[in-house]
Amino acid sequence: MNFEIPFLVFHIESTKFLLVADDPDDYIYPICGRIAKMDDDESDILVGKFRLYYVDIAAAINTGIDVFDIFDAHSDSTSEYYDSLFDPDTMGFSENLLQLFNYEIFEQNVLIIDRLELLPGYRGKNLGLTIMRRLIQRYSAGAGVVAIKPFPLQFEHSIPAENKSSWHAEMQLSSFRKTERDSIWELRSHYRKLGFIEMKDTPHMFLSTTRRLPPIERLLT
């Protein structure tokens, strides 16, 4: 079956950090950016936006920072992952997480996929999964697992400040008609195609970086 890989460019927002990392929040590295399509005249056409968090557990532990404090200090988006990911007694990965991957997790750090937003004209055909695949490939070095919470954006109770603009209107989230429960089930099924596995009794899914990502050809066909 024929497939076409779209020519997309990822623009990463600049960031800044202090010379001395002495705060738990210093060990979570936000990776934010936008996704653009190159036009015939080589101008950018906005396709979507994304936000990831790289959690540097190894460096924090070496500095004596408590793992819980890292997740709690940053935001609600990160704090809710702690119970699923870690054992508070050992500061290692939780038994539930280890069992998901037959104890084959060999790196301490974590990559969280917090948001991936695509404009209506670019949804479908697994383009979002293909973009997610590339982000994981690019930013998961040193991470044992990639974490995600499948939650449909149209059911958010509050809109992030950066989205309180024409962008929110362009997303046309009100066009989605399924219930919250059905939408979450559909997202989970969608993310399984990339290799994510659900953790029972939690809203989270995880992917082990020891497992090979599916080829782009399989995602786009």
Side-chain angles (χ1 to χ4, degrees), residues 27-29 54-61 70 108-110:
Y27 294 92
I28 290 189
Y29 315 142
Y54 189 93
V55 190
D56 195 348
I57 304 297
I61 290 176
I70 302 170
Q108 290 180 294
N109 299 340
V110 175

Side-chain angles (χ1 to χ4, degrees), residues 45-102:
I45 299 173
L46 186 61
V47 169
K49 299 180 180 180
F50 62 89
R51 181 169 63 217
L52 317 176
Y53 294 116
Y54 189 93
V55 190
D56 195 348
I57 304 297
I61 290 176
N62 287 340
T63 315
I65 301 290
D66 186 271
V67 176
F68 171 79
D69 291 339
I70 302 170
F71 284 83
D72 188 55
H74 188 81
S75 66
D76 291 340
S77 295
T78 57
S79 63
E80 64 179 31
Y81 283 94
Y82 176 79
D83 288 338
S84 298
L85 281 164
F86 292 98
D87 181 335
D89 295 326
T90 66
M91 289 200 300
F93 287 127
S94 69
E95 184 69 14
N96 288 340
L97 182 66
L98 292 171
Q99 287 180 1
L100 277 185
F101 302 109
N102 299 316

Side-chain angles (χ1 to χ4, degrees), residues 202-217:
T202 78
H204 303 130
M205 299 181 76
F206 298 95
L207 182 150
S208 170
T209 56
T210 62
R211 304 194 177 182
R212 183 174 297 180
L213 293 168
I216 293 178
E217 294 89 337

Side-chain angles (χ1 to χ4, degrees), residues 8 25 46 49 79 100 116 118 129 139 150 165 208:
L8 300 179
D25 192 32
L46 186 61
K49 299 180 180 180
S79 63
L100 277 185
L116 176 58
L118 293 180
L129 286 184
Y139 292 110
S165 62
S208 170

